[in-house]
Amino acid sequence: MTRVRLITMTAAVGLGLTLAGCGQGISANNDPSFSWFPSTPRGTPGSGQVVSKTPIAKPSAAPAVGQGQAKGLGTPASSISAGDDLKFTPATSTAKSGDVLQWTTTGTQAHNVTFDGQPDITSPTLNKGDTWQVKFTVAGKYTYHCTFHAGMDGTVTVGG
Ligand SMILES: [Cu+2]
């Protein structure tokens, strides 16, 4: 019985491989992104590697929305304090394209300005007195937060 089942399974696997190897005549999948033969290398069987059915697209770099650095980008159009009250003040800011905004840690608690989905303009840790400037060049609404303090967040809306 066990032997028969083993043979049956082996036959089924063999049939499946044969069908997969053929790669034609199966028209159920109309998804154009689906490929029977992904261009990405398959994992070695038994290596524990996750094998994707679809080719893994290399993420394209997010378009730059501005420039960020500690200082030197110009006179800030707006200043935002990051205080010991664990808030950005003001929490909402508006700017024109080309404006420089500046964040300053005003108390003894360290903070950072982490923009969601925008690592290019995200600050390092800002200790007491440290500043972070961002010159925005693309209109949009940018949300940010401090990774050290839950609920410490803000928004910058950049007009054209
Ligand atoms: Cu903080």
Side-chain angles (χ1 to χ4, degrees):
M1 183 60 185
T2 306
R3 186 181 174 84
V4 170
R5 184 182 293 170
L6 184 65
I7 290 169
T8 308
M9 284 174 60
T10 306
V13 169
L15 182 63
L17 286 175
T18 306
L19 286 172
C22 178
Q24 292 175 7
I26 303 169
S27 57
N29 195 317
N30 294 320
D31 182 355
S33 67
F34 183 87
S35 171
W36 289 104
F37 303 104
S39 57
T40 47
R42 292 273 184 186
T44 307
S47 68
Q49 200 172 336
V50 176
V51 177
S52 172
K53 279 188 175 178
T54 51
I56 299 166
K58 194 177 177 185
S60 56
V65 297
Q67 183 182 0
Q69 59 190 53
K71 56 186 78 174
L73 286 178
T75 305
S78 297
S79 295
I80 298 130
S81 70
D84 280 348
D85 58 357
L86 311 186
K87 290 177 181 169
F88 291 110
T89 306
T92 58
S93 305
T94 55
K96 297 190 302 291
S97 183
D99 279 354
V100 174
L101 268 62
Q102 177 171 290
W103 286 258
T104 305
T105 291
T106 54
T108 57
Q109 293 261 13
H111 302 288
N112 59 55
V113 182
T114 300
F115 281 91
D116 299 310
Q118 302 292 346
D120 287 353
I121 55 172
T122 287
S123 83
T125 297
L126 305 176
N127 295 302
K128 182 179 182 180
D130 287 347
T131 59
W132 182 247
Q133 295 186 333
V134 175
K135 184 174 189 172
F136 290 93
T137 53
V138 177
K141 185 175 181 179
Y142 303 100
T143 55
Y144 64 91
H145 61 279
C146 169
T147 60
F148 301 145
H149 303 114
M152 183 173 180
D153 45 37
T155 304
V156 177
T157 302
V158 180

